[in-house]
Amino acid sequence: MKRSLLSSLLLASVLATPAFAALNEGDKAPEFSAQASLAGKAFNYSFRDALKKGPVVVYFYPSAFTGGCNLQAHTFAENIDKFSAAGATVIGVSLDSIKRLNAFSADPQYCASKVAVASDPDGKIAKSFNLAVADVPAGRKDTRGEDIDHGRVDRVTFVVKPDGQVAATIGGVAPVENVEKALETVTRLASARR
């Protein structure tokens, strides 16, 4: 009886653990390019080019125009000057279409024309960072009442040093804390460079 109960509790704790098996600190981040949007305008984003300027915060999020993702984008936008002061750039990545991201990036309540967001419609970029792509149940709506017609990834942020090594992997925390931890990491990296 005790063994059965212990086995059940162990199984329950494993199932309750966050399900991301992302790249870890010290791993080499994969290079990628994607169609992205800033201030409602699409452009071609190159991770390689961004790394030439300094550390890059690559934050993956489930979907534009959803509660936690709206809050996270807004928090990044509010703090973008602090990231820039630490020499870092920020790029959000989701499986949203570029059309949805054009609206999201320009919306003053969310990205506020300050945070670039990249479209990863087939999940290829997410998978290259060892993130699982999942289907969204049919009938799910965003905060605007529109259908969410794409897959999703967990909210995981990577801070990548200019040499391409992952300095931090941040997952399993609330949206605001995710941004705060990313800012702490880039601030620490900036201090180490001085």
Side-chain angles (χ1 to χ4, degrees), residues 40-157:
K41 295 181 176 72
F43 69 98
N44 293 319
Y45 176 83
S46 167
F47 183 56
R48 177 187 287 181
D49 290 347
L51 285 173
K52 291 176 185 174
K53 300 172 190 169
V56 178
V57 175
V58 182
Y59 83 93
F60 289 88
Y61 60 99
S63 180
F65 299 110
T66 58
C69 300
N70 294 347
L71 180 58
Q72 185 177 25
H74 180 77
T75 306
F76 268 116
E78 285 184 322
N79 289 282
I80 201 67
D81 291 339
K82 294 175 185 175
F83 283 96
S84 296
T89 58
V90 176
I91 183 75
V93 182
S94 70
L95 278 67
D96 288 282
S97 69
I98 196 65
K99 180 180 177 187
R100 282 176 59 90
L101 294 180
N102 281 337
F104 192 58
S105 73
D107 195 308
Q109 294 181 46
Y110 310 125
C111 295
S113 298
K114 296 179 180 182
V115 179
V117 284
S119 178
D120 182 22
D122 58 4
K124 185 177 176 183
I125 299 167
K127 290 173 188 173
S128 74
F129 278 77
N130 291 345
L131 297 176
V133 174
D135 291 331
V136 171
R140 288 282 311 260
K141 304 273 186 199
D142 66 20
T143 55
R144 302 173 303 170
E146 295 183 17
D147 288 330
I148 299 175
D149 61 354
H150 56 81
R152 67 175 301 282
V153 295
D154 286 337
R155 184 180 324 285
V156 180
T157 296

Side-chain angles (χ1 to χ4, degrees), residues 152-176:
R152 67 175 301 282
V153 295
D154 286 337
R155 184 180 324 285
V156 180
T157 296
F158 300 89
V159 178
V160 183
K161 297 185 287 187
D163 66 2
Q165 280 197 333
V166 175
T169 301
I170 305 158
V173 297
V176 171

